[in-house]
Amino acid sequence: MNKLFICIPILLIAGCSDDVGKVSLGLFTTKDVVIEAKKDPKIPGVTCHISHVEADLDFADPSDMSIACRQTGVITAAQIAQIDRSKNGEIVFKQSKSILFKSLKVRRIFDEDNQTLIYLSYSTKESSGSHHHSISTVPLFGSQALQADSLPSQTLNN
């Protein structure tokens, strides 16, 4: 009976991970490149794969990261209607990278003119003279999100 109680928490922890890959940077280092899959919470038809370095024995992970987002399911006009359409967009993912206020953030920005979702990953702390960042786009062309009633009137007239 005790074995059951030990196994259940282990299964729950393993099931919660969204790591899809982990590559060691070498035999004599404690750093790994981790690849995570994250679904956009407001647009679950978009999955972003984010790679970043984890340094197990350091207080701060490096700032480098990369992002690739793709349509992996249905994107509807109702989902697009509920997102922030400002030039700043909105933060969709956030992960602490150090105990000293450094975070990896992913922000979604909607390019209405080109009917494209833009995902920007960036570090909140300067490293080596730069705020490291990466960008990926998800065009809405051909998706259910581009129904005639959801398009701006100027697009319909062209």
Side-chain angles (χ1 to χ4, degrees), residues 90-149:
E90 63 187 305
I91 295 172
V92 291
F93 314 118
K94 181 179 176 181
Q95 180 177 357
S96 177
K97 296 294 282 173
S98 85
I99 59 173
L100 300 172
F101 311 110
K102 180 168 60 172
S103 296
L104 179 150
K105 293 183 180 181
V106 175
R107 189 174 286 272
R108 179 195 339 94
I109 299 168
F110 182 56
D111 176 357
E112 194 156 0
D113 291 343
N114 295 298
Q115 295 296 300
T116 301
L117 297 169
I118 301 168
Y119 290 86
L120 171 69
S121 66
Y122 59 99
S123 172
T124 59
K125 193 166 185 179
E126 189 174 321
S127 172
S128 304
S130 175
H131 286 275
H132 297 275
H133 62 282
S134 183
I135 191 170
S136 185
T137 62
V138 178
L140 299 177
F141 182 79
S143 74
Q144 293 179 12
L146 292 182
Q147 297 171 355
D149 57 345

